[in-house]
Amino acid sequence: MLAVNIKFNTRQAQRVVTRVSQRLPEETVNSLNDFSNVVVKKLKRNLMNDTRPITPDRQRAKTLIKSKKLSKTKIGIMMPRSLVLLDAMKPHYVSLKRGRNIVGWTKRNFGSAQVSGRSHVVRGVRGGVSGSLYVTPHKFVQLSLNQSRNFLPNELRKGIKKAFKGYSS
């Protein structure tokens, strides 16, 4: 027969539980902040990785994508509304009428006469542009979230390890 004598220090155990219960929420929020920074990096990278022409407006908008702590438990990713609309719009035709900003963009980026996919752009005799462009969304937000999804468990694990640091045996 084997007898084992086990001593349990309740004060020390209570101190560990108290300390961990204080640090765990703080460390998980820090981990979520780190994860939001990973998502921001992916958003910026996927915004610029596109076969379409990269405009100066898009380059300026890239610098405005940021992670921000909204409260003690909430972290948000801020980006310009134009990028949200670029990601969420439905495919549609845009008529090239005088006075629209897209007409100037078309003059710079399309040649004399071009039919590409569903777009039909024709230059007039006096240098004007007529026709229509078929505009499609750039789904960089969902792509970024899918790519960064695997980082979340690792970031949370790091935060939990920090909360328990010094108490494991």
Side-chain angles (χ1 to χ4, degrees), residues 82-89 137-143:
S82 61
L83 295 181
V84 175
L85 295 175
L86 177 67
D87 181 72
M89 74 176 170
H138 180 190
K139 297 286 186 183
F140 70 97
V141 173
Q142 192 60 44
L143 178 65

Side-chain angles (χ1 to χ4, degrees), residues 45-128:
R45 184 179 303 132
N46 287 327
L47 177 64
M48 301 313 281
N49 289 345
D50 195 6
T51 56
R52 299 169 229 185
I54 296 171
T55 61
D57 291 336
R58 200 183 312 175
Q59 289 175 340
R60 277 191 298 274
K62 174 188 165 187
T63 61
L64 298 175
I65 299 175
K66 293 182 177 137
S67 163
K68 184 178 179 184
K69 210 169 194 180
L70 302 175
S71 69
K72 287 186 176 181
T73 58
K74 289 184 183 178
I75 296 165
I77 296 175
M78 307 298 175
M79 72 172 70
R81 185 178 171 90
S82 61
L83 295 181
V84 175
L85 295 175
L86 177 67
D87 181 72
M89 74 176 170
K90 293 179 181 172
H92 61 282
Y93 285 96
V94 176
S95 179
L96 299 173
K97 296 179 182 176
R98 283 186 310 219
R100 291 186 173 177
N101 289 337
I102 195 148
V103 173
W105 180 89
T106 306
K107 285 180 182 178
R108 287 190 307 272
N109 293 298
F110 277 79
S112 58
Q114 185 168 354
V115 177
S116 62
R118 296 181 184 178
S119 297
H120 182 71
V121 179
V122 178
R123 266 197 190 265
V125 179
R126 290 183 258 159

